[in-house]
Amino acid sequence: MHRYILSSLFLAAWVSGCIRDHVLHRPRSVAKRQTTPRVPLTPDESVLVNSIDNSTLRDWNYYYTHGAHLAGTNQSMAQWTADRWSENGFQARLDEYVPYLNYPVSHSLSLTYPNGSIFTAGLEEAVLIEDETTSYPNRIPTFNGYSFTGNATAEYVYVGRGQVVDFEALLALGVPLKGKIALAKYGGPFRGLKVKNAALYGMIGCVLFTDPGDDGNVTVENGYAPYPEGPARNPTSVQRGSVQFLSTYPGDPTTPGYPSKRDSPRADKSSVVPSIPSLPISYAEAIPLLRALDGFGTPGSQVNRTEWVGKLNVTYSTGPAPGAVLSMSNIMRDEFTPIWDAVGIINGTNQDEVLVIGNHRDAWIVGGAADPNSGTAIIVELSKAFGKLLATGWKPRRTIILCSWDGEEYGLVGSTEWVEEYVNWLTESAVAYLNIDIGISGTSPDLSATPELSTIATATMKKIMWPTMPNETLYDAWNAESEGEIGVLGAGSDYTSFLHKGISSLDVGTDPGVDDPVYHYHSNYDSYHWMSNYGDPGYHYHTAMGQYLTLLAYHLATDEILPYDFPVYTAALRSYYGDLLKTINSTGQALDTSELATAITQFESSANEAMALRELAVSTGDAALMRVVNHIKGEKAISSKIHCPSSNQLTPSSPLLSHPYNTTPQQHPPNNQTGKLTPSPESRDFQRGFTSVGGLPEREFYKHVVNAPGIDTGYAPTTFPGITEAVVAGNLERAREWVGRTSEGIRRAAGILGTGEGEGTRGG
């Protein structure tokens, strides 16, 4: 994913979140880590931090990992979550949607060798005596969500990671693709795009496998015992997952742009789900398939493609092998079925400002100790901490909403449908969305966010101790691992719908380091037993991450001035602009981007002006001016004498009054007729300016002109996507159009932040 350093440097890596392939952090010498003194806590912060307890986190994780909770199958778990929130002082309920999902019925895979002998894959993970949930009678089969029902029999080709460039490389080598079955390695693009690309190149099926080469140093090859005897990957582990075409749009494939209800009209889903069958398999069952290709086609060492060769004892040759034939079958059951989002609310004193905190609850397996239930346990514990603070008489300035999403694994379904239902209210009220998905899967902290949240996000890290080393803060650990780089959001988890509605967003969790126990992503072995013995035996990392998310939420909900840092966004835009110029130069094309450069300079001026106004508000303690800084834009933003609407100026049909999440009358400061400032969204809403009406080309869901998931990655971000992807495709006419539309979005954001000078019109 793209990442940005707080100064201005931006690099490329992976996006965080659950729906993506999991990521290993590079090794960092512990001896080189520096520790900084922990920032002292306020009394409120102490209440919150001391309320997060590793034993109750373990209890919550145990509950969620001992019952199947595939999307749409466990309403009682949703209700249990809401009940815990109610016990802690939140008003809680379930919101129901009825999306299209599909479930496995049967599957098979066999390889017929040229001599007529047959290898039949079991397509099942081994039952482990030590790990009780792997033997549950209702354990979930290995399958791909939204996969196509069908059969395929043909010779097969190893296609690397299944990117478009991999298929193009195969064609250049003279490897036949049409009518063959693809064998693809996880890593790189989202799995759904591997299947999509295979179909685009005329292939009739796709088999996906995990390679131990992606497991860092902790491998059987390096002498580590496989799970459960040791920390290396169990050879039978299988990564399940969705094959929806995530970079086109997430959510229910049959209700694009509107919520899925029982009576919702249904659209054709063929543009976002596969047309060929797919199956995920273990590396143990991939070895015979790969080995049968040895000596046929081009050896992997000569293909010259990134990550083509893994760590299995095979040549990773392309094939096909004459007479080596795969037969695959994938039968699914289609349903329109209810899913349930649990929602909990604490009303704030400012009813027109809302902080949303979310984590998904559904999992591909009975367990899901890391994904998603480390995050789910943390959200429940967060509610407990806020309940204890409520008991002291504290009340948040801004309304806090907790959300436990269902259906995330299929394609961010629960969060997307919820945002689509409440989009008008959210765009008028939301100050930020905080996401935690895989809270704990290793020891390396990972943070991605829209740039304006970076300063509060990293400052809060300095208040939390991290378990890896004595006297080390979370900030120390994160900075050592990331070198100060904050990830750019793509489409890897439930922040996606919020981000593309112009709402400030953040995603936090951990990844395994190269020397950490292997995390069995989307496998039966992502279990309570694994977490309690390898992932986080004392639940101390859960505790630290829970403390962090709770304090971050506290400040976003309580600080008098919203803690946005606008100049950091300027640094991000300038870095993305530099990346764009490099991309243009690499293609040898000529594109005038001066309008974009000017728009960024305009944004810089407005960002600096907004920060100066904020500093004035802080230094003077002027409450009215603080409200201006938060979300009232003035004609010149120079006076602290503010005219704000009184409550009788709002009609009963106002979304902020009539919305079901508002249970008390909306409060406003009294009118002050002496000022020149007029009410209009400002710092709270500047992100809205970056959203383009009509969205990106061929994928209107994605509206953010600054960053979006790459069209051929599915989750990893592309910056200035409308321009960058047009340039890469050689479509200069579209690139010129999107220089204008992107510039317009940046001018809109600048206009919202600033004095109104140079403000763009809506519709870019």
Side-chain angles (χ1 to χ4, degrees):
M1 70 188 141
H2 284 78
R3 295 173 174 269
Y4 57 86
I5 298 180
L6 298 187
S7 59
S8 65
L9 177 63
F10 295 71
L11 298 173
W14 293 108
V15 69
S16 61
C18 154
I19 205 164
R20 46 87 169 174
D21 294 325
H22 212 60
V23 178
L24 285 175
H25 277 241
R26 59 189 179 277
R28 299 281 295 173
S29 171
V30 173
K32 293 182 180 178
R33 287 192 177 188
Q34 297 181 348
T35 58
T36 55
R38 179 185 184 181
V39 174
L41 303 179
T42 67
D44 280 359
E45 290 175 330
S46 294
V47 170
L48 293 170
V49 166
N50 293 333
S51 298
I52 307 295
D53 181 77
N54 65 320
S55 63
T56 49
L57 281 161
R58 182 191 296 270
D59 291 343
W60 308 142
N61 193 261
Y62 182 92
Y63 168 77
Y64 285 109
T65 55
H66 283 75
H69 44 297
L70 188 62
T73 65
N74 198 327
Q75 184 178 5
S76 63
M77 191 174 282
Q79 188 60 57
W80 189 92
T81 304
D83 290 345
R84 300 292 78 73
W85 292 346
S86 295
E87 292 170 356
N88 294 321
F90 287 75
Q91 301 171 57
R93 68 152 190 258
L94 301 186
D95 284 358
E96 181 182 277
Y97 300 95
V98 187
Y100 161 72
L101 300 175
N102 65 3
Y103 299 101
V105 175
S106 66
H107 56 195
S108 65
L109 177 69
S110 64
L111 166 62
T112 301
Y113 293 95
N115 64 6
S117 62
I118 298 175
F119 164 75
T120 301
L123 302 181
E124 186 173 3
E125 295 177 297
V127 171
L128 307 177
I129 296 174
E130 300 89 340
D131 193 337
E132 64 168 332
T133 57
T134 65
S135 66
Y136 274 22
N138 65 340
R139 63 186 182 277
I140 298 163
T142 59
F143 80 107
N144 290 141
Y146 287 142
S147 57
F148 180 80
T149 290
N151 305 314
T153 299
E155 292 179 348
Y156 62 102
V157 173
Y158 174 56
V159 299
R161 299 197 297 179
Q163 291 178 275
V164 168
V165 287
D166 293 324
F167 288 99
E168 288 295 320
L170 288 167
L171 290 179
L173 290 168
V175 177
L177 300 177
K178 190 171 182 179
K180 309 297 185 186
I181 292 173
L183 176 61
K185 184 163 74 82
Y186 276 122
F190 179 59
R191 70 184 72 78
L193 296 188
K194 299 173 190 286
V195 182
K196 177 184 180 181
N197 292 339
L200 287 174
Y201 282 84
M203 306 187 85
I204 61 173
C206 186
V207 178
L208 305 162
F209 72 95
T210 299
D211 194 289
D214 297 328
D215 289 341
N217 298 327
V218 183
T219 63
V220 173
E221 181 186 37
N222 288 342
Y224 292 91
Y227 179 77
E229 290 82 11
R233 178 176 299 279
N234 185 291
T236 70
S237 69
V238 177
Q239 182 191 136
R240 299 156 179 81
S242 173
V243 288
Q244 183 182 19
F245 304 159
L246 190 65
S247 59
T248 302
Y249 64 83
D252 180 358
T254 69
T255 60
Y258 54 95
S260 297
K261 298 293 186 176
R262 292 186 182 275
D263 58 351
S264 294
R266 302 290 170 169
D268 175 36
K269 63 183 184 295
S270 61
S271 65
V272 288
V273 295
S275 58
I276 61 173
S278 65
L279 293 171
I281 64 173
S282 67
Y283 83 72
E285 296 190 323
I287 289 173
L289 277 59
L290 290 164
R291 189 164 288 156
L293 299 180
D294 286 351
F296 298 97
T298 302
S301 60
Q302 298 177 23
V303 174
N304 194 29
R305 277 295 304 135
T306 302
E307 304 293 336
W308 188 276
V309 175
K311 291 293 186 181
L312 297 173
N313 187 25
V314 297
T315 64
Y316 293 90
S317 295
T318 63
V325 174
L326 279 185
S327 293
M328 62 184 298
S329 175
N330 183 62
I331 308 301
M332 302 291 291
R333 181 182 76 253
D334 293 351
E335 291 190 13
F336 292 97
T337 187
I339 62 171
W340 305 276
D341 293 340
V343 179
I345 308 107
I346 296 176
N347 279 300
T349 56
N350 292 352
Q351 289 286 301
D352 59 345
E353 294 181 335
V354 174
L355 171 67
V356 185
I357 310 165
N359 158 262
H360 77 93
R361 190 185 61 257
D362 62 306
W364 294 113
I365 61 245
V366 170
D371 180 12
N373 299 135
S374 58
T376 312
I378 286 168
I379 290 280
V380 174
E381 192 72 358
L382 175 150
S383 77
K384 187 189 80 174
F386 276 114
K388 290 189 176 182
L389 191 58
L390 285 169
T392 69
W394 169 85
K395 188 169 185 177
R397 186 180 307 275
R398 300 173 186 95
T399 294
I400 299 173
I401 297 181
L402 302 184
C403 295
S404 173
W405 311 114
D406 200 356
E408 188 268 0
E409 294 288 10
Y410 275 80
L412 319 179
V413 178
S415 59
T416 300
E417 303 312 306
W418 193 81
V419 170
E420 286 174 344
E421 180 167 16
Y422 297 117
V423 59
N424 292 334
W425 170 72
L426 285 167
T427 53
E428 291 175 358
S429 305
V431 301
Y433 173 71
L434 304 181
N435 191 69
I436 187 166
D437 189 332
I438 306 174
I440 303 296
S441 65
T443 62
S444 297
D446 190 65
L447 174 67
S448 299
T450 49
E452 73 281 4
L453 294 177
S454 60
T455 298
I456 184 62
T458 54
T460 305
M461 286 180 171
K462 298 176 182 179
K463 300 181 179 182
I464 305 300
M465 303 309 297
W466 195 245
T468 302
M469 285 179 58
N471 303 316
E472 182 181 52
T473 65
L474 173 56
Y475 177 82
D476 297 327
W478 169 79
N479 192 54
E481 295 288 348
S482 69
E483 298 181 345
E485 303 164 18
I486 292 180
V488 178
L489 296 169
S493 193
D494 289 303
Y495 56 78
T496 303
S497 288
F498 293 88
L499 174 65
H500 288 276
K501 295 298 184 288
I503 295 168
S504 300
S505 299
L506 177 146
D507 184 50
V508 69
T510 69
D511 286 318
V514 294
D515 295 315
D516 283 345
V518 169
Y519 165 51
H520 297 80
Y521 180 54
H522 288 182
S523 159
N524 280 343
Y525 310 133
D526 179 11
S527 62
Y528 179 80
H529 181 272
W530 178 84
M531 182 64 75
S532 298
N533 288 275
Y534 294 101
D536 186 13
Y539 282 75
H540 299 301
Y541 288 95
H542 281 73
T543 301
M545 190 56 67
Q547 291 170 337
Y548 172 72
L549 185 65
T550 302
L551 284 194
L552 183 60
Y554 168 80
H555 283 285
L556 284 165
T558 304
D559 287 2
E560 193 158 15
I561 292 181
L562 288 166
Y564 298 149
D565 192 334
F566 307 114
V568 173
Y569 214 115
T570 303
L573 292 173
R574 292 203 179 281
S575 180
Y576 302 157
Y577 182 69
D579 291 341
L580 175 64
L581 294 182
K582 291 176 184 177
T583 298
I584 296 169
N585 290 336
S586 71
T587 66
Q589 300 174 90
L591 179 67
D592 182 2
T593 60
S594 58
E595 183 183 3
L596 182 62
T598 301
I600 293 172
T601 299
Q602 214 169 328
F603 181 89
E604 180 177 33
S605 176
S606 294
N608 292 340
E609 179 183 276
M611 289 301 288
L613 186 63
R614 174 180 174 173
E615 290 170 5
L616 177 62
V618 171
S619 65
T620 62
D622 190 316
L625 184 56
M626 289 180 183
R627 184 166 177 81
V628 174
V629 171
N630 280 341
H631 59 89
I632 302 294
K633 183 194 74 180
E635 292 173 2
K636 283 294 178 183
I638 55 174
S639 171
S640 63
K641 303 299 184 180
I642 314 303
H643 173 134
C644 295
S646 62
S647 58
N648 61 16
Q649 291 174 283
L650 294 171
T651 67
S653 62
S654 166
L656 301 180
L657 291 176
S658 63
H659 196 278
Y661 292 146
N662 288 308
T663 59
T664 58
Q666 185 173 350
Q667 301 297 314
H668 290 274
N671 281 344
N672 185 326
Q673 303 291 346
T674 63
K676 295 183 178 180
L677 297 173
T678 56
S680 177
E682 200 239 27
S683 67
R684 181 193 64 191
D685 297 345
F686 87 101
Q687 276 274 357
R688 305 337 180 231
F690 291 129
T691 60
S692 175
V693 173
L696 295 173
E698 281 85 53
R699 45 188 190 137
E700 64 183 26
F701 174 91
Y702 293 106
K703 300 182 184 302
H704 209 288
V705 300
V706 176
N707 54 287
I711 191 69
D712 192 35
T713 66
Y715 38 64
T718 296
T719 51
F720 297 144
I723 310 170
T724 300
E725 291 179 345
V727 168
V728 171
N731 189 339
L732 283 183
E733 181 179 353
R734 176 174 285 177
R736 283 189 287 270
E737 174 193 353
W738 276 90
V739 167
R741 297 186 70 169
T742 304
S743 302
E744 183 68 13
I746 294 171
R747 287 195 295 270
R748 278 196 305 270
I752 293 170
L753 273 183
T755 65
E757 298 171 358
E759 189 171 352
T761 59
R762 188 70 176 163

XYZ file of all heavy atoms in Angstrom, residues 75-134:
481
model
N -27.460 -14.903 14.277
C -28.085 -13.701 14.831
C -27.871 -13.606 16.332
O -27.751 -12.511 16.890
C -29.588 -13.694 14.519
C -30.295 -12.425 14.978
C -31.774 -12.417 14.621
O -32.297 -13.413 14.100
N -32.448 -11.318 14.871
N -27.815 -14.745 17.008
C -27.656 -14.723 18.463
C -26.332 -14.081 18.864
O -26.249 -13.411 19.904
C -27.756 -16.140 19.031
O -26.714 -16.963 18.547
N -25.295 -14.264 18.062
C -24.009 -13.634 18.369
C -24.091 -12.125 18.183
O -23.490 -11.356 18.945
C -22.910 -14.236 17.497
C -21.505 -13.855 17.910
S -20.228 -14.718 16.952
C -20.245 -16.341 17.738
N -24.836 -11.680 17.189
C -25.057 -10.246 17.011
C -25.802 -9.672 18.208
O -25.454 -8.601 18.729
C -25.838 -9.994 15.726
N -26.833 -10.388 18.656
C -27.607 -9.913 19.800
C -26.771 -9.922 21.076
O -26.876 -9.018 21.909
C -28.858 -10.780 19.989
C -29.819 -10.247 21.042
C -30.326 -8.857 20.715
O -30.900 -8.633 19.656
N -30.100 -7.898 21.614
N -25.939 -10.948 21.230
C -25.051 -11.019 22.398
C -24.138 -9.802 22.446
O -23.910 -9.222 23.506
C -24.230 -12.300 22.324
C -23.431 -12.624 23.547
C -23.807 -13.387 24.607
C -22.082 -12.191 23.818
N -22.788 -13.469 25.529
C -21.723 -12.745 25.070
C -21.156 -11.417 23.138
C -20.466 -12.537 25.649
C -19.903 -11.191 23.717
C -19.575 -11.751 24.947
N -23.637 -9.397 21.282
C -22.783 -8.211 21.201
C -23.557 -6.969 21.626
O -23.077 -6.163 22.435
C -22.251 -8.038 19.766
O -21.564 -9.224 19.371
C -21.321 -6.847 19.657
N -24.755 -6.809 21.090
C -25.585 -5.656 21.463
C -25.900 -5.667 22.952
O -25.927 -4.611 23.606
C -26.872 -5.664 20.639
N -26.129 -6.841 23.511
C -26.436 -6.940 24.939
C -25.259 -6.491 25.797
O -25.439 -5.853 26.840
C -26.821 -8.372 25.296
C -28.163 -8.791 24.722
O -28.936 -7.900 24.295
O -28.431 -10.007 24.682
N -24.033 -6.837 25.384
C -22.858 -6.397 26.157
C -22.764 -4.872 26.111
O -22.436 -4.231 27.117
C -21.578 -7.020 25.588
C -21.526 -8.539 25.585
C -21.442 -9.163 26.972
N -22.704 -9.182 27.662
C -23.722 -10.000 27.363
N -23.638 -10.855 26.359
N -24.830 -9.962 28.066
N -23.028 -4.295 24.953
C -22.974 -2.844 24.860
C -24.050 -2.196 25.725
O -23.791 -1.181 26.380
C -23.140 -2.412 23.397
C -21.981 -2.806 22.534
C -20.755 -3.233 22.947
C -21.944 -2.806 21.109
N -19.951 -3.500 21.860
C -20.645 -3.246 20.723
C -22.855 -2.484 20.118
C -20.265 -3.362 19.387
C -22.475 -2.600 18.788
C -21.194 -3.035 18.423
N -25.232 -2.785 25.749
C -26.312 -2.250 26.591
C -25.916 -2.267 28.054
O -26.202 -1.323 28.809
C -27.593 -3.061 26.381
O -28.088 -2.913 25.067
N -25.265 -3.334 28.479
C -24.810 -3.432 29.872
C -23.833 -2.316 30.228
O -23.732 -1.925 31.390
C -24.133 -4.777 30.107
C -25.069 -5.971 30.043
C -24.338 -7.296 30.037
O -23.080 -7.293 30.000
O -25.009 -8.341 30.051
N -23.164 -1.781 29.222
C -22.144 -0.758 29.457
C -22.636 0.656 29.168
O -21.829 1.578 29.054
C -20.908 -1.076 28.609
C -20.240 -2.367 29.046
O -20.147 -2.655 30.234
N -19.771 -3.158 28.085
N -23.947 0.828 29.057
C -24.512 2.163 28.955
C -24.807 2.646 27.552
O -25.203 3.802 27.365
N -24.640 1.791 26.555
C -24.971 2.151 25.178
C -26.415 1.752 24.870
O -26.899 0.732 25.359
C -24.046 1.429 24.192
C -22.640 1.949 24.159
C -21.749 1.664 25.190
C -22.195 2.718 23.100
C -20.444 2.139 25.161
C -20.895 3.196 23.055
C -20.015 2.909 24.091
N -27.102 2.565 24.080
C -28.385 2.145 23.523
C -28.068 1.256 22.321
O -27.421 1.701 21.378
C -29.192 3.353 23.066
C -29.479 4.366 24.176
C -30.082 5.630 23.609
O -31.122 5.582 22.953
N -29.440 6.760 23.850
N -28.522 0.010 22.358
C -28.075 -0.951 21.353
C -29.246 -1.611 20.648
O -30.329 -1.778 21.220
C -27.186 -2.010 21.996
N -29.005 -2.000 19.409
C -30.023 -2.665 18.611
C -29.363 -3.383 17.439
O -28.152 -3.238 17.204
C -31.036 -1.651 18.109
C -30.484 -0.666 17.069
C -31.621 -0.215 16.165
N -31.180 0.533 15.026
C -31.252 1.856 14.923
N -31.714 2.571 15.923
N -30.863 2.452 13.808
N -30.146 -4.132 16.691
C -29.674 -4.773 15.477
C -30.312 -4.110 14.265
O -31.515 -3.857 14.254
C -30.016 -6.274 15.466
C -29.478 -7.137 16.601
C -29.789 -8.607 16.325
C -27.991 -6.941 16.804
N -29.511 -3.844 13.249
C -30.005 -3.367 11.958
C -29.901 -4.528 10.972
O -28.820 -5.096 10.792
C -29.181 -2.185 11.460
C -29.521 -0.892 12.183
O -30.425 -0.906 13.036
O -28.856 0.135 11.901
N -30.993 -4.852 10.318
C -31.036 -6.010 9.423
C -30.984 -5.579 7.963
O -31.617 -4.606 7.556
C -32.320 -6.815 9.658
C -32.424 -8.060 8.782
C -33.727 -8.812 8.988
O -33.787 -9.607 9.941
O -34.674 -8.576 8.207
N -30.221 -6.333 7.164
C -30.199 -6.187 5.712
C -30.376 -7.570 5.101
O -30.174 -8.597 5.766
C -28.896 -5.517 5.253
C -28.737 -4.154 5.865
C -27.987 -3.972 7.032
C -29.388 -3.052 5.323
C -27.887 -2.720 7.633
C -29.294 -1.798 5.916
C -28.549 -1.642 7.073
O -28.473 -0.404 7.664
N -30.754 -7.601 3.838
C -31.039 -8.887 3.185
C -30.276 -8.937 1.855
O -30.839 -8.746 0.777
C -32.553 -9.078 2.962
C -32.834 -10.491 2.451
C -33.322 -8.826 4.255
N -28.974 -9.199 1.919
C -28.170 -9.226 0.697
C -28.166 -10.595 0.030
O -28.613 -11.601 0.598
C -26.772 -8.905 1.227
C -26.755 -9.548 2.577
C -28.157 -9.354 3.128
N -27.628 -10.604 -1.157
C -27.314 -11.856 -1.834
C -26.016 -12.414 -1.263
O -24.993 -11.718 -1.196
C -27.156 -11.628 -3.338
C -26.395 -12.731 -4.039
C -26.968 -13.989 -4.233
C -25.080 -12.527 -4.475
C -26.260 -15.005 -4.860
C -24.379 -13.535 -5.107
C -24.965 -14.777 -5.294
O -24.264 -15.785 -5.895
N -26.050 -13.665 -0.820
C -24.867 -14.409 -0.401
C -24.951 -15.789 -1.037
O -26.009 -16.202 -1.509
C -24.801 -14.549 1.129
C -24.747 -13.268 1.969
C -24.810 -13.610 3.453
C -23.503 -12.452 1.666
N -23.841 -16.510 -1.035
C -23.928 -17.916 -1.428
C -23.095 -18.778 -0.488
O -22.148 -18.293 0.146
C -23.583 -18.142 -2.901
C -22.145 -17.832 -3.261
O -21.326 -17.480 -2.424
N -21.819 -17.947 -4.537
N -23.484 -20.042 -0.387
C -22.894 -20.956 0.582
C -22.491 -22.254 -0.111
O -23.118 -22.673 -1.088
C -23.890 -21.255 1.699
C -24.322 -20.040 2.486
C -25.557 -19.431 2.242
C -23.510 -19.494 3.463
C -25.959 -18.318 2.961
C -23.905 -18.377 4.194
C -25.127 -17.792 3.940
O -25.519 -16.681 4.644
N -21.438 -22.937 0.401
C -20.940 -24.142 -0.270
C -21.875 -25.338 -0.113
O -22.429 -25.581 0.956
C -19.608 -24.395 0.435
C -19.765 -23.784 1.794
C -20.646 -22.578 1.590
N -22.035 -26.086 -1.200
C -22.800 -27.327 -1.198
C -21.853 -28.519 -1.375
O -21.846 -29.458 -0.585
C -23.864 -27.326 -2.308
C -24.585 -28.675 -2.386
C -24.867 -26.198 -2.083
N -21.020 -28.477 -2.417
C -20.059 -29.550 -2.645
C -18.928 -29.034 -3.514
O -19.073 -28.025 -4.217
C -20.727 -30.754 -3.318
O -21.163 -30.414 -4.626
N -17.805 -29.735 -3.472
C -16.670 -29.353 -4.318
C -15.759 -30.559 -4.500
O -15.781 -31.504 -3.710
C -15.895 -28.178 -3.716
C -15.395 -28.407 -2.316
N -14.958 -27.397 -1.498
C -15.253 -29.536 -1.582
C -14.560 -27.884 -0.346
N -14.735 -29.184 -0.371
N -14.960 -30.523 -5.551
C -14.001 -31.597 -5.793
C -12.900 -31.092 -6.704
O -13.090 -30.141 -7.475
C -14.682 -32.819 -6.427
O -15.184 -32.507 -7.713
N -11.731 -31.746 -6.597
C -10.590 -31.397 -7.435
C -9.724 -32.643 -7.604
O -9.362 -33.293 -6.616
C -9.766 -30.279 -6.797
C -8.493 -29.855 -7.548
C -8.852 -29.153 -8.857
C -7.626 -28.945 -6.671
N -9.402 -32.970 -8.843
C -8.526 -34.116 -9.096
C -7.597 -33.809 -10.258
O -7.923 -33.016 -11.154
C -9.334 -35.379 -9.384
O -10.095 -35.232 -10.571
N -6.426 -34.427 -10.200
C -5.435 -34.309 -11.268
C -5.238 -35.681 -11.897
O -4.887 -36.648 -11.207
C -4.105 -33.803 -10.695
C -2.866 -33.936 -11.596
C -3.031 -33.119 -12.869
C -1.611 -33.501 -10.830
N -5.483 -35.771 -13.181
C -5.202 -36.990 -13.932
C -3.865 -36.823 -14.639
O -3.687 -35.913 -15.458
C -6.304 -37.272 -14.962
O -7.558 -37.401 -14.282
C -6.018 -38.561 -15.719
N -2.910 -37.697 -14.298
C -1.575 -37.634 -14.889
C -1.589 -38.240 -16.293
O -2.509 -38.990 -16.657
C -0.578 -38.389 -14.012
C -0.330 -37.747 -12.665
C -1.043 -38.147 -11.537
C 0.628 -36.748 -12.521
C -0.810 -37.569 -10.295
C 0.865 -36.158 -11.288
C 0.140 -36.574 -10.177
O 0.377 -35.993 -8.960
N -0.570 -37.932 -17.089
C -0.514 -38.493 -18.452
C -0.551 -40.017 -18.489
O -1.030 -40.596 -19.472
C 0.825 -37.961 -18.985
C 1.048 -36.698 -18.230
C 0.503 -36.942 -16.861
N -0.088 -40.675 -17.418
C -0.108 -42.143 -17.403
C -1.436 -42.716 -16.926
O -1.570 -43.929 -16.768
C 1.032 -42.682 -16.543
C 0.893 -42.292 -15.067
O -0.117 -41.714 -14.657
N 1.912 -42.596 -14.284
N -2.424 -41.836 -16.652
C -3.740 -42.302 -16.243
C -3.959 -42.370 -14.750
O -5.096 -42.540 -14.298
N -2.897 -42.255 -13.938
C -3.079 -42.246 -12.485
C -3.726 -40.934 -12.059
O -3.651 -39.924 -12.774
C -1.747 -42.450 -11.775
O -0.849 -41.398 -12.089
N -4.348 -40.944 -10.891
C -5.151 -39.798 -10.444
C -4.750 -39.394 -9.027
O -4.624 -40.251 -8.135
C -6.660 -40.121 -10.493
C -7.096 -40.416 -11.935
C -7.482 -38.973 -9.916
C -8.538 -40.858 -12.056
N -4.553 -38.112 -8.829
C -4.423 -37.531 -7.489
C -5.722 -36.798 -7.179
O -6.164 -35.939 -7.949
C -3.253 -36.549 -7.417
C -3.303 -35.638 -6.215
C -2.990 -36.120 -4.951
C -3.693 -34.308 -6.346
C -3.052 -35.283 -3.840
C -3.758 -33.465 -5.246
C -3.434 -33.959 -3.985
N -6.330 -37.136 -6.049
C -7.577 -36.482 -5.630
C -7.312 -35.633 -4.397
O -6.844 -36.145 -3.368
C -8.676 -37.506 -5.326
O -8.928 -38.286 -6.506
C -9.962 -36.807 -4.901
N -7.603 -34.353 -4.498
C -7.399 -33.443 -3.371
C -8.527 -33.619 -2.355
O -9.692 -33.754 -2.728
C -7.350 -32.001 -3.861
N -8.168 -33.579 -1.082
C -9.184 -33.710 -0.034
C -9.977 -32.438 0.190
O -11.117 -32.475 0.649
N -9.356 -31.289 -0.108
C -10.015 -29.973 0.046
C -10.538 -29.773 1.463
O -11.588 -29.163 1.678
C -11.153 -29.807 -0.970
C -10.773 -29.939 -2.444
C -11.999 -29.717 -3.328
C -9.660 -28.967 -2.825
N -9.781 -30.259 2.430
C -10.201 -30.147 3.822
C -8.968 -29.968 4.694
O -7.920 -30.568 4.450
C -10.969 -31.395 4.259
C -11.569 -31.290 5.646
C -12.466 -32.475 5.997
O -12.564 -33.392 5.172
O -13.048 -32.468 7.088
N -9.096 -29.143 5.713
C -8.013 -28.967 6.665
C -8.029 -30.093 7.696
O -9.101 -30.563 8.098
C -8.142 -27.608 7.357
C -7.975 -26.443 6.389
C -8.180 -25.098 7.043
O -9.295 -24.828 7.526
O -7.229 -24.308 7.063
N -6.856 -30.482 8.145
C -6.751 -31.588 9.099
C -7.408 -31.234 10.425
O -7.304 -30.100 10.905
C -5.284 -31.941 9.323
N -8.091 -32.209 11.001
C -8.626 -32.066 12.359
C -7.480 -32.276 13.341
O -6.727 -33.257 13.231
C -9.752 -33.080 12.614
C -10.152 -33.093 14.080
C -10.950 -32.764 11.727
N -7.326 -31.352 14.282
C -6.237 -31.406 15.248
C -6.793 -31.677 16.637
O -7.677 -30.939 17.112
C -5.461 -30.084 15.257
C -4.954 -29.581 13.894
C -4.276 -28.230 14.049
C -4.008 -30.591 13.266
N -6.307 -32.707 17.278
C -6.787 -33.054 18.626
C -6.576 -31.893 19.582
O -7.414 -31.609 20.448
C -6.064 -34.321 19.124
C -6.418 -35.518 18.249
C -6.412 -34.594 20.586
C -5.643 -36.765 18.577
N -5.457 -31.191 19.425
C -5.128 -30.106 20.350
C -6.030 -28.887 20.175
O -6.120 -28.046 21.076
C -3.668 -29.672 20.144
C -2.651 -30.762 20.363
C -2.351 -31.568 19.111
O -3.184 -31.550 18.161
O -1.299 -32.215 19.081
N -6.660 -28.768 19.023
C -7.424 -27.559 18.679
C -8.881 -27.964 18.458
O -9.277 -28.372 17.374
C -6.836 -26.933 17.414
C -7.344 -25.516 17.161
O -8.424 -25.181 17.677
O -6.657 -24.764 16.441
N -9.687 -27.830 19.512
C -11.011 -28.452 19.508
C -11.941 -27.944 18.416
O -12.721 -28.707 17.847
C -11.686 -28.274 20.879
C -11.966 -26.822 21.257
C -12.880 -26.703 22.468
O -13.685 -27.621 22.692
O -12.781 -25.678 23.175
N -11.862 -26.667 18.070
C -12.830 -26.149 17.100
C -12.568 -26.655 15.684
O -13.438 -26.546 14.829
C -12.861 -24.613 17.109
O -11.550 -24.106 16.852
C -13.343 -24.088 18.458
N -11.391 -27.234 15.432
C -11.130 -27.802 14.104
C -11.931 -29.080 13.870
O -12.020 -29.545 12.722
C -9.635 -28.117 13.910
O -9.234 -29.156 14.811
C -8.785 -26.878 14.146
